[in-house]
Amino acid sequence: TGDGPDYFDLIYVSEGGSVTINGGTFIAQTPKWTLNIKDIDRGISEIKVYGGKFYNFDPANNLSEGPNTNFVAEGYKSVEIEPNVWEVIKE
């Protein structure tokens, strides 16, 4: 995480790491929120989202990783439940 308008509240994965999000509420303290995999580790690291509510961030369209970068697990979907709030639910 960081301070100021150009920083993110984030979960960052590298070196073959794996993050699984099964639920929870994720509210940005800075203007942006994201999930990231270090570029060099994209083939060996992963992030899978099975549930949760995300404010100002859609885990199925992670713009900081590139448009349409989807971290939502197969069989699940991200639904905008109110303006700028997405919830990941089972399909």
Side-chain angles (χ1 to χ4, degrees):
T1 63
D3 297 322
D6 296 327
Y7 291 90
F8 297 88
D9 288 329
L10 62 85
I11 294 175
Y12 188 76
V13 181
S14 66
E15 298 181 17
S18 177
V19 169
T20 301
I21 297 174
N22 292 311
T25 301
F26 300 87
I27 300 172
Q29 299 301 311
T30 59
K32 300 173 184 173
W33 201 97
T34 193
L35 301 167
N36 285 91
I37 296 176
K38 188 176 178 182
D39 286 341
I40 197 169
D41 294 327
R42 286 189 191 280
I44 59 172
S45 298
E46 71 174 6
I47 299 172
K48 295 289 184 189
V49 180
Y50 293 89
K53 188 183 290 187
F54 299 84
Y55 288 77
N56 300 311
F57 174 74
D58 180 1
N61 186 19
N62 187 354
L63 298 176
S64 70
E65 291 277 299
N68 300 313
T69 300
N70 185 2
F71 288 132
V72 175
E74 188 174 324
Y76 292 77
K77 64 182 178 179
S78 178
V79 178
E80 190 171 16
I81 58 173
E82 57 187 81
N84 296 315
V85 180
W86 288 266
E87 187 170 13
V88 175
I89 59 173
K90 193 169 184 132
E91 290 188 298

